[in-house]
Every structure is written in structure tokens, then in C-alpha cells.
């Protein structure tokens, strides 16, 4: 039987006292347990929506420890129907079949949304908003409500309060709180984050234990330089300037595609129209082998592209692939498997049990700040006893651009979250951190430090300046 911590008890009470709300809790605070206990105490049928891997692993495991009858509605249609039409009070759905469920069973149910950022946009989010207007109970949980952009809050909040606080139309919301300079990029007005925070302050609840984050071991980032050959650099420059590689017949049709193809060149390969891979280089794999051998301990390797996973399995055939069988992969990892391969989109949310290791290696940094933070949170969480090391293999160039964007998003999120906390009833006022560009080493070079100057050091082989204090692997 699982015993709840005091902060978890407070969170459960908040979720049972109010019929709507958003719980902001740090990664590893036990949101799975909180949601299950809140559903149990509420009584009646409650649907919990979460990512597929959490539905398959974390929820069944915690439900068994808590002695709860919980059914997981994943798999084929028959298996889903059997779970939904069972007598269990708690049914867990995955985001991948949410649209199907809404079409088949409607939305007027009691809901707990685990990881609200998955409903920040898209068809599932819009359908959920439309079909759950008369839902008697809707709660959501997340660790990173503004991980990518403050504009994402509109749909997420609307999924919970049905448009009561930020309105029912996204265009009106954007015009009220944001300004558009180039026709497609929306930036907050000077007081936009404060006004949004005040509008949703009664809907948002923060995890009550401020010591949780402070007591976690530090997260330290290490950059591992991966120099590229002149031939590879020429290929990169050709794609960058021409948007086309003549020898490989590969074209970038718009700026977004171009940015991803440049990142793939840094990774070592490009996909053609038939999904076959054009091999560009294997410098990152060489650096990975050297790093794994030097660390000589358990490591989680994060790949961004499938050809990276295939290359790693050729080098380390005994590596465990999380996506193949999550429950088995976690068991093997906890039993001492040396290498675990994960993709940030599939193992970045809701996965517990990986914190027996403390080293995380990114072959390619992701554009998504949410995935960047959530993936690190699989290791830096409750139960971790060692300093967590996040190793980033960087070739400069597009890799450096992504790291720069991640830093900007981290700083913006810090400011927004501070203002949201300040808007809470009875909150002690705290000044939002200034955008100084200085970072603390203990939390990784993407975390801002209030009030310091912005000393920089050159990356060496690209034009990106990195804050001093960033550890560079020798």
C-alpha cells in the first residue's frame, strides 16, 4: 500500500474539493499516484488520459500497489471496449486513442488529464474542448505549462474551464495578450504574462512542497564537441544556401524543413523520399563510443532519428530499446542493463523507474523544450541519489541554434512561472528573473541566475556564445 506524502495529500484534497483545476507539480512528484487517489476519493467513473507509455507502465504498477481496480484502454478496439465497458471506476486512456473515444462515447464524463501540454493544440485538443463542455469534473496536471510558448496556454486552459477565463476564441486571446511582428510569430505584450497569470490564478494550483525541487540532486550539462570534416561542412553549407543537395536529390521545401535537415546533417544522415538513409558521417557515434567507455557505468542514450537508433544497436547490440517493450525495458534497466535507448517523444513523460542511473546522453538536442526538460526528469526525480549528468553531443551549427532556442525558452518559462506564482492568492511576491544570459552550473547551463551579468565563452567552431561555467568534456 502506498502512503502519500503531505504535499500529495494537499494536492489530492484540492482535486476533490474543486470540480476544475490545473495542478502544476514538478517532475517526479508522483502525479500518477495523485491522480489515482483523487479519482478513488471522488468516486464513480473517472477517465484518466495520459501518454501511451505511462498508461502501459506507471498506471498499472501504481494501481496494483494501491490496491485499485484500474483498467487500461489501449491496444486494439476490442481490448479498449472491454476496458471501457468494464465495472472498474477508473479507466486509463492514451492520447493516441482519445479522438476515437470521444467519437464513440462522447465527452460528458469525469476527466483527469495527465500531462496537459499534450492538449496544447491539434485535432484531439479541439475535439476535447468541444465535446466536454458539460463534463462534471475536469482536472489536469503538468510540470511544464509554458514550456514552449505562453500562447499554448489558451487551448490547455480551455480544455479545463471551457473558455471561462481566457475566452473561447484563440484569435481574440492572441490579440489581447500578444503582438505579432512578422505575420506568424506571436510574442507577449509587456504585461501579457502578468494579465494571463491573473486571469487563471484561481484555476491553477501549485504543488505545496517547495523543498522537493531544492532537495533533488543537481542537473549538470556537459557539452561534447564533435568536429565535422571539411566534406561534411561543405554538404551542410550547400543545403544551407541552396536548400538542395544535387548529388543526393534532397530538397528542403520550406524553412522548417530546412532547419530539420540541417540538424540531421549534424546528426550524420538524411532521409530520402522513400525513407532510405543517405549516410553523411558517423562522427557522433565515434564520440558516443568514447564517452560510454570513459563513463563505464549505466547510461541512457537519447536518439532523435531512427537511423541513430539503428547505428547504436550495431555498435552496442545488447542495448535495451525502451520503445520495444517499456515494462520489460524498465525491468532490465533496473536489473543493471548498461545502455537504455529512448526517444524523448515516447519516454519523456510519465515514465518512472529510470533513476537508478544518473547519466543521460543526447545525440541531438530536440527543438521541444518540453521534451528536453521532461526527458531529464526521468532521471532527476524522487529516488535519485546522485548528481545527474546531461551530456550533449554537439557539432555546433544547427545543434548550437537548437541549444540557443532551448535556453531562450527556459528563461521565458522561468519568468512566466514566477508571475503565475505571484498571482496566486496569498502568494509572497517574488521578482521575475531578468533575462541576463547567466546560468548556474548546478542546474545546467539552461537555468537563469537572477541578477548576474552575462559572461560568455566561444563555442570554438560555431558562432554561438555559451555562458561561462558550462562544463565542456575533455
Amino acid at each position: 500500500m502506498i502512503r502519500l506524502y503531505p504535499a500529495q495529500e494537499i494536492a489530492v484534497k484540492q482535486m476533490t474539493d474543486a470540480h476544475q483545476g490545473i495542478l502544476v507539480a514538478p517532475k517526479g512528484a508522483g502525479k500518477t499516484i495523485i491522480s489515482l487517489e483523487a479519482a478513488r476519493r471522488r468516486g464513480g467513473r473517472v477517465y484518466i488520459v495520459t501518454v501511451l507509455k505511462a498508461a502501459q507502465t506507471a498506471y498499472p504498477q501504481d494501481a496494483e500497489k494501491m490496491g485499485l481496480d484500474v483498467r487500461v484502454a489501449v491496444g486494439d478496439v476490442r481490448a479498449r471496449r472491454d476496458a471501457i465497458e468494464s465495472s472498474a471506476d477508473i479507466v486509463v486512456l492514451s492520447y493516441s486513442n482519445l479522438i476515437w473515444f470521444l467519437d464513440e462515447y462522447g465527452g460528458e464524463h469525469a476527466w483527469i488529464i495527465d500531462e496537459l501540454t499534450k492538449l496544447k493544440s491539434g485535432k484531439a485538443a479541439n475535439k476535447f474542448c468541444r465535446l466536454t463542455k458539460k463534463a462534471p469534473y475536469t482536472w489536469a496536471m503538468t510540470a511544464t505549462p509554458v514550456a514552449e510558448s505562453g500562447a499554448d496556454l489558451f487551448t490547455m486552459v480551455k480544455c479545463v474551464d471551457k473558455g471561462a477565463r481566457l475566452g473561447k476564441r484563440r484569435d481574440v486571446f492572441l490579440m489581447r495578450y500578444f503582438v505579432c511582428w512578422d505575420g506568424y510569430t506571436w510574442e507577449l505584450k509587456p504585461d501579457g504574462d502578468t494579465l494571463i497569470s491573473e486571469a487563471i490564478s484561481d484555476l491553477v494550483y501549485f504543488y505545496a512542497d517547495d523543498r522537493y525541487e531544492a532537495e533533488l540532486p543537481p542537473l549538470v550539462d556537459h557539452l561534447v564537441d564533435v568536429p565535422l570534416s571539411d566534406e561534411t561542412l561543405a554538404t551542410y553549407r550547400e543545403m544551407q544556401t541552396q536548400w538542395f543537395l544535387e548529388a543526393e536529390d534532397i530538397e528542403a521545401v520550406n524553412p522548417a524543413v530546412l532547419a530539420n535537415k540541417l540538424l540531421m546533417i549534424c546528426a550524420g544522415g538524411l532521409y530520402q523520399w522513400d525513407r532510405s538513409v543517405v549516410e553523411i558521417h558517423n562522427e557522433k557515434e565515434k564520440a558516443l563510443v568514447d564517452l560510454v567507455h570513459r563513463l563505464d557505468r549505466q547510461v541512457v542514450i537519447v536518439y532523435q532519428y531512427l537511423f541513430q537508433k539503428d547505428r547504436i544497436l550495431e555498435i552496442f547490440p545488447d542495448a535495451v530499446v525502451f520503445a520495444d517493450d517499456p515494462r520489460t525495458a524498465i525491468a532490465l534497466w533496473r536489473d543493471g542493463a548498461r545502455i537504455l535507448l529512448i526517444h524523448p517523444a515516447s519516454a519523456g513523460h510519465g515514465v518512472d523507474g529510470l533513476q537508478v542511473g544518473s547519466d543521460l546522453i543526447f545525440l541531438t538536442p530536440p527543438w521541444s523544450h518540453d521534451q528536453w526538460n521532461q526527458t531529464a526528469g526521468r532521471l532527476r526525480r524522487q529516488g535519485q541519489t546522485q548528481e545527474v549528468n546531461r551530456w550533449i553531443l554537439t557539432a555546433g551549427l544547427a545543434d548550437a541554434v537548437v541549444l540557443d532556442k532551448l535556453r531562450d525558452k527556459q528563461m521565458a518559462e522561468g519568468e512566466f512561472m514566477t508571475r503565475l506564482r505571484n498571482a496566486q492568492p496569498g502568494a509572497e511576491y517574488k521578482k521575475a528573473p531578468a533575462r541576463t544570459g547567466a546560468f548556474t552550473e548546478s542546474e545546467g547551463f539552461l537555468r537563469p541566475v537572477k541578477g548576474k551579468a552575462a559572461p560568455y565563452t566561444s563555442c570554438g567552431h560555431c558562432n554561438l556564445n555559451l555562458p561561462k561555467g558550462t562544463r565542456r568534456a575533455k
Side-chain angles (χ1 to χ4, degrees), residues 411 434-440 445 447-450 452-456 467:
M411 296 172 73
R435 295 190 180 215
T436 62
F439 298 85
T440 173
F445 75 99
R447 186 179 177 88
V449 178
K450 181 175 67 176
K452 290 190 177 181
Y456 284 102

Side-chain angles (χ1 to χ4, degrees), residues 20 138 156-167 200 203:
Q20 289 180 346
T138 306
M156 292 192 288
V157 171
K158 186 180 177 182
C159 283
V160 177
D161 76 351
K162 320 310 172 190
R165 291 164 180 80
L166 298 181
I200 64 175
L203 187 71

Side-chain angles (χ1 to χ4, degrees), residues 416-453:
F416 207 124
M417 291 295 288
T418 298
R419 288 181 169 82
L420 188 55
R421 282 183 178 273
N422 288 340
Q424 297 294 296
E428 180 182 350
Y429 177 78
K430 295 181 180 180
K431 186 178 179 181
R435 295 190 180 215
T436 62
F439 298 85
T440 173
E441 190 172 68
S442 65
E443 290 292 341
F445 75 99
L446 297 179
R447 186 179 177 88
V449 178
K450 181 175 67 176
K452 290 190 177 181

Side-chain angles (χ1 to χ4, degrees), residues 323-390:
D324 289 349
D325 186 342
R327 298 189 71 168
T328 300
I330 292 174
L332 292 172
W333 173 251
R334 295 184 68 85
D335 284 343
R338 190 181 179 198
I339 297 175
L340 177 67
L341 300 184
I342 68 173
H343 190 282
S346 63
H349 290 88
V351 176
D352 195 14
L354 304 187
Q355 58 268 43
V356 294
S358 61
D359 287 278
L360 190 67
I361 303 175
F362 276 85
L363 287 175
T364 297
W367 285 103
S368 169
H369 178 245
D370 185 47
Q371 292 180 2
W372 174 255
N373 269 348
Q374 289 284 352
T375 304
R378 298 316 99 201
L379 271 63
R380 186 176 181 263
R381 61 195 295 111
Q382 187 172 286
Q384 179 60 262
T385 60
Q386 304 177 65
E387 177 181 271
V388 176
N389 298 288
R390 180 165 54 188

Side-chain angles (χ1 to χ4, degrees), residues 282-296:
N282 63 349
E283 298 302 326
K284 287 199 173 184
E285 285 71 30
K286 293 178 182 177
L288 175 67
V289 170
D290 178 67
L291 178 59
V292 169
H293 287 162
R294 284 195 292 117
L295 292 175
D296 194 26

Side-chain angles (χ1 to χ4, degrees), residues 13 114 120 133 137 196 199 230 258 285 289 303 425:
K13 187 176 187 305
D114 184 359
K120 66 184 179 182
K133 291 179 181 179
Y137 179 88
I196 293 173
D230 292 341
L258 175 65
E285 285 71 30
V289 170
Y303 62 91

